């Protein structure tokens, strides 16, 4: 007897095809801006990082200055106990200068700078955190924000989902936030779960734009290798190139001390 | 900036002391230069050999080439120099805190302005005698020391500088090192001279730091030249003294002896007060690095009834007890220093010894919109009186504004006003990074005030300086 033909698999396949045609060409995992930011915060991050930085500061005129630094961080992105220390290694006229941001005993962070010419470690006040970081387009706040804890300072709204998917998320500073920026707009590819562009708004104006144009995979972590910050009004640009990563190496606690900062 | 009262008071006229004091006279500049060159050469040679001795040793050599030209309001060049400075630093061992690090720096300068004008002859002016012009060519040895790391302690031995205190305008706790005050309104950090010492620093638990220094041999500060000194008039000697002239200055430095070893200790506390506070207490026992000038009558050997006037520079034995702090309070950083200096003349009866004094400074600083940084400080100084006289009190304020429009340009202006006599100074400066490591600087100082006032006396020294430095 002839076996009857079953059309069921064909119907299922057709339904799937129609469904695929009816929906966007990608599937997004996150429905809200907060979910995306939580996912970024939940990503595994190295407990410690040591890297070399090359900072190129280019004025609107096109002239540029280059600074080389070594950075030590302990505690990952979003960690309230994150410590960070940066020392300049070149050129000679800034060699030995340094910046340190450490978790304070009573909460928050304490920041210090060391200038060899003064031979003193000096505290950085809250108001100074928006000052330029050694003349660059990054502020002290921007630098510490790369590793520091900003949770609770912003409320996130998903503005748009672009191809990829790539999320465009608005972050609005909450009342009493420890930030000089009133609004940020992140562009975050889901594949990277790393902001590739951040627009910083102050006084209602687009103030600065940061872009991450290069990443590297190392030891299971996605790390930015080139960070560019542009100050819109001044037309100046600072690029930080990160290299020579050493991840999860043991960094003694006494590295994040004034003693090591001035060494 | 430093606005040293002692520097100018070093030239004050003191009554004749009882008898001539014994003391060493500084070696000639040529001998000093030879010794310094040998020392620099020896240390650099040893340091350059070190890497071949062990793979655990690293060594870097750098330096600064600089030139500076200065002119005063009278049109005279105050400085026209070119300098070369070398610095070698290295470390032994590996890790975050290696076993030891070492540093040596030295250099040479040639100042064409120092040899301008008539040369030769014996100075007859008391000021020129007390404060002779510098030699055009100078060689110097700066810091040269080794540090060994011993757990939470580090021991440094050699020529070093120590920066104690929190404030800038007045640094009453900056007492360990001598200073080069040949340009007395330069930044204090630029004038500090290295001196031989042993230094032990300990990072104790609970945010407590201990810093102990022992300075075995006294070295005095370099005094401002005669153009910065008040007029000196010799005391009126009785005709029967038979004064026939002036003798060379006797620089009565403390001898290199165990009893003259200087000692200081400073304890620093990291406090959870306001948004973070550092507080320190300091004790120092040693000598004032600025001399007190006095004049004695010395009989001419073998000639009865004939004397000459012997100028004497002596250095007071002092003890300093001080306190300083810096606190972050919101967007402000607040700093303060206070120091009480005890001398060996509490009653003010010995005119050749300075009196007790109190110096304090309190100030605040903060960032302003647009990237400017504003600093304001108030200073208070009181020197106990000589017997029967009034105490000397001085109150001044300093306001400084720094602006960094971009990575290349830094503009600063400082204004000091002395409320005691209404004098003061304004000090604008500008630095511009021409390229990586190459910086041009322009700075000037304008003094104002009536004749005889503290800064008004220096109005002829108002000046403009231009310089270029290349660091490599």
């Amino acid at each position: 007897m002839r076996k009857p033909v079953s059309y069921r698999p064909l119907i299922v396949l057709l339904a799937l095809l129609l469904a695929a045609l009816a929906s966007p060409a990608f599937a997004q995992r996150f429905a809200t801006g907060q979910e995306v930011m939580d996912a970024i915060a939940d990503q595994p991050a190295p407990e410690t990082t040591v890297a070399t930085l090359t900072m190129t500061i280019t004025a609107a005129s096109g002239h540029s200055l280059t600074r080389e630094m070594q950075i030590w961080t302990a505690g990952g992105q979003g960690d309230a106990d994150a410590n960070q220390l940066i020392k300049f290694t070149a050129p000679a006229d800034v060699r030995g200068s340094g910046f340190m941001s450490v978790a304070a005993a009573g909460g928050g962070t304490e920041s210090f700078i060391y200038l060899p010419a003064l031979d003193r470690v000096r505290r950085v006040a809250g108001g100074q955190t928006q000052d330029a970081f050694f003349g660059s387009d990054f502020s002290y706040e921007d630098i510490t924000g790369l590793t520091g804890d900003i949770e609770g300072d912003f409320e996130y709204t998903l503005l748009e989902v672009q191809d990829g998917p790539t999320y465009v998320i608005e972050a609005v500073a909450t009342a009493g936030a420890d930030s000089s920026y009133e609004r940020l707009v992140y562009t975050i590819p889901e594949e990277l779960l790393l902001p590739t562009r951040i627009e910083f708004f102050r006084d209602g104006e687009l103030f600065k734009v940061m872009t991450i144009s290069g990443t590297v995979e190392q030891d299971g972590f996605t790390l930015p290798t080139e960070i560019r910050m542009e100050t819109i009004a001044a037309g100046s640009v600072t690029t930080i190139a990160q290299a020579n990563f050493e991840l999860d190496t043991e960094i003694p606690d006494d590295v994040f001390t004034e003693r090591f900062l001035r060494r | 900036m430093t606005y040293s009262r002692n520097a100018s008071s070093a030239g004050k006229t003191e009554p004749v002391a009882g008898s001539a004091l014994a003391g060493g006279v500084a070696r000639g500049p040529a001998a000093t230069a030879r010794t310094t060159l040998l020392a620099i050469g020896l240390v650099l040679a040893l340091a350059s050999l070190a890497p071949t001795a062990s793979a655990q040793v690293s060594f870097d050599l750098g330096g600064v080439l600089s030139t500076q030209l200065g002119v005063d309001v009278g049109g005279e060049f105050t400085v026209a120099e070119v300098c070369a400075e070398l610095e070698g630093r290295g470390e032994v061992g590996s890790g975050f805190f290696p076993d030891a690090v070492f540093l040596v720096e030295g250099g040479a300068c040639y100042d064409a302005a120092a040899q301008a004008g008539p040369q030769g002859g014996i100075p007859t002016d008391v000021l020129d005698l007390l404060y002779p012009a510098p030699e055009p060519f100078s060689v110097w040895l700066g810091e040269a020391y080794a540090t060994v790391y011993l757990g939470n302690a580090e021991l440094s031995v050699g020529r070093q500088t120590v920066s104690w205190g929190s404030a800038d305008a007045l640094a009453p706790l900056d007492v360990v090192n001598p200073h080069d005050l040949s340009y007395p309104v330069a930044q204090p950090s630029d004038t500090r001279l290295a001196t031989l010492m042993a230094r032990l620093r300990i990072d104790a638990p609970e945010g407590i730091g201990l810093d102990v220094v022992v300075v075995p041999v006294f070295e005095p500060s370099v005094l401002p030249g005669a153009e910065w000194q008040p007029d000196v008039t010799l005391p009126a000697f009785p005709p029967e003294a038979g004064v026939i002239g002036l003798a060379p200055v006797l620089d009565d430095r403390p001898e290199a002896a165990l009893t003259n070893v200087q000692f200081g200790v400073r304890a620093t506390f990291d406090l959870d007060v306001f948004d973070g506070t550092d507080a320190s207490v300091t004790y120092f026992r040693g000598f004032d690095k600025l001399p007190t000038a006095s004049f004695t009558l010395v009989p001419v050997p073998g000639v009865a009834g004939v004397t000459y006037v012997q100028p004497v520079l002596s250095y007071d034995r002092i003890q300093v007890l001080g306190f300083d702090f810096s606190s972050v309070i919101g967007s402000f950083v607040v700093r303060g220093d206070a120091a009480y200096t005890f001398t060996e003349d509490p009653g003010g009866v010995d005119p050749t010894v300075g009196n007790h004094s109190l110096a304090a400074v309190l100030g605040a600083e903060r960032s302003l919109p647009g990237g400017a940084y504003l600093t304001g400080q108030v200073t208070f100084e009181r020197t106990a009186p000589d017997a029967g006289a009034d105490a000397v009190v001085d109150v001044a304020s300093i306001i400084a504004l720094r602006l960094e429009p971009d990575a290349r340009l830094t503009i600063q202006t400082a204004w000091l006003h002395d409320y005691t006599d209404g004098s003061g100074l304004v000090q604008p400066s500008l630095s511009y990074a021409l390229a990586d490591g190459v910086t041009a600087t322009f700075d000037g100082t304008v003094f104002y005030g009536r004749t005889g006032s503290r800064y008004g006396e220096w109005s002829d020294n108002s000046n403009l300086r231009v310089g270029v430095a290349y660091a490599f």
Side-chain angles (χ1 to χ4, degrees), chain A residues 12-169:
Chain A
V12 171
L13 190 62
L14 189 63
L16 285 174
L17 186 62
L18 287 172
L21 288 172
S23 65
F26 50 83
Q28 66 180 73
R29 285 165 50 200
F30 308 106
T32 67
Q34 187 65 56
E35 283 182 26
V36 178
M37 302 310 284
D38 288 345
I40 292 174
D42 290 342
Q43 282 196 116
E47 281 301 308
T48 68
T49 306
V50 181
T52 56
L53 310 180
T54 302
M55 184 166 77
T56 305
I57 307 164
T58 307
S61 63
H63 293 106
S64 63
L65 296 172
T66 302
R67 308 271 184 262
E68 291 177 17
M69 296 167 275
Q70 182 93 7
I71 183 170
W72 295 262
T73 62
Q77 171 76 39
D79 189 341
D81 294 327
N83 294 330
Q84 183 186 59
L85 190 141
I86 298 173
K87 297 194 82 169
F88 285 76
T89 55
D93 55 348
V94 297
R95 185 188 300 147
S97 302
F99 170 72
M100 179 173 70
S101 172
V102 295
T109 58
E110 291 181 312
S111 300
F112 303 84
I113 56 172
Y114 175 70
L115 300 173
L118 297 178
D119 193 21
R120 282 180 186 164
V121 175
R122 311 197 75 157
R123 287 181 178 273
V124 176
Q128 277 178 271
T129 57
Q130 54 187 286
D131 289 357
F133 177 75
F134 289 89
S136 73
D137 291 279
F138 289 87
S139 65
Y140 291 99
E141 176 185 5
D142 300 334
I143 293 290
T144 54
L146 293 175
T147 56
D149 175 28
I150 58 171
E151 196 169 339
D153 281 351
F154 293 93
E155 286 180 354
Y156 302 101
T157 303
L158 181 58
L159 296 180
E160 183 187 357
V161 181
Q162 300 173 343
D163 288 354
T166 295
Y167 301 91
V168 180
I169 295 169

Side-chain angles (χ1 to χ4, degrees), chain B residues 133-149:
Chain B
E135 295 290 323
F137 183 69
S138 60
V139 178
W140 52 271
L141 175 64
E143 290 193 291
Y145 64 87
T147 298
V148 292
Y149 293 94

